[in-house]
Amino acid sequence: MRISNLNLLQTSVACGPRFAAIAGVVLLLTACSSMHHIPAGTPLSEVQGRYGAPTVACPLETGQQRLIWSSQPMGQYAWATVVSADERVGPVEQILTDTAFAQVKSGNWDKQRLHCTFGPPAEVSVVGLPGSRSLVWSYRYRQAGAWNSLMHFYFDESGQVTRMHPGPDPMYDPPEFFD
């Protein structure tokens, strides 16, 4: 059976309002979910008008400010930029990536630096046995751009990162996995 373009067009038109509404919502959600298209030099007020206030604002030694818009605790993305003294944004980059996490070195990073680099964690937990407990911050992200994962950062008593590793995000496990 051959379907002509006219039949396909008529079917699409018949589904029109419902299909258009669903497509519009999907398009709107995807348009609002990414900040990577914001050009450097855009006024901060314009960015905040579209995406709201940043989740984290950290002053830098240069007098500039690092701003982070995060979708944590449930999302897998966060975007960061550096704002100049004249309130214009620099390049906006997605920061919850394997490449960005690779810059963290044990013993050289504390909670404040991690917070100002990646924003708030999705989960905070304590693991270990009595007498050997570690605070863990976990960030949801797409490992290798594909896998639903958590990057776990372990802290010692002084608040320094001691180790880190990725792992699967159980939030995405099917319910029957737990039966």
Side-chain angles (χ1 to χ4, degrees):
M1 179 177 165
R2 183 178 170 166
I3 300 176
S4 71
N5 287 341
L6 181 58
N7 286 345
L8 187 58
L9 180 61
Q10 289 171 337
T11 303
S12 297
V13 169
C15 297
R18 186 174 182 185
F19 178 79
I22 292 170
V25 168
V26 168
L27 189 60
L28 182 63
L29 289 175
T30 56
C32 293
S33 65
S34 179
M35 297 179 72
H36 75 277
H37 67 279
I38 298 170
T42 302
L44 176 59
S45 59
E46 186 178 318
V47 176
Q48 287 182 319
R50 183 168 184 147
Y51 295 99
T55 311
V56 174
C58 293
L60 302 174
E61 294 175 5
T62 61
Q64 299 171 313
Q65 205 173 26
R66 180 174 171 85
L67 302 180
I68 299 172
W69 285 264
S70 179
S71 65
Q72 301 285 309
M74 303 309 282
Q76 298 173 317
Y77 301 95
W79 295 268
T81 189
V82 173
V83 178
S84 62
D86 65 348
E87 301 238 330
R88 296 198 174 272
V89 301
V92 178
E93 56 186 6
Q94 209 294 91
I95 55 174
L96 300 180
T97 66
D98 291 309
T99 303
F101 289 139
Q103 68 184 323
V104 178
K105 304 293 182 220
S106 295
N108 296 330
W109 284 68
D110 61 13
K111 292 179 200 174
Q112 181 64 27
R113 185 171 178 192
L114 206 67
H115 186 259
C116 287
T117 302
F118 301 112
E123 297 177 0
V124 176
S125 58
V126 177
V127 298
L129 300 171
S132 178
R133 316 265 299 154
S134 293
L135 177 68
V136 181
W137 283 10
S138 302
Y139 291 85
R140 283 197 164 79
Y141 80 114
R142 303 280 293 189
Q143 187 177 13
W147 309 106
N148 298 317
S149 300
L150 288 165
M151 180 60 77
H152 306 285
F153 293 94
Y154 295 75
F155 297 95
D156 63 16
E157 301 80 30
S158 68
Q160 294 292 314
V161 173
T162 58
R163 66 186 176 106
M164 58 182 264
H165 68 85
D169 187 347
M171 183 173 85
Y172 292 95
D173 287 341
E176 62 272 4
F177 183 78
F178 295 104
D179 289 342

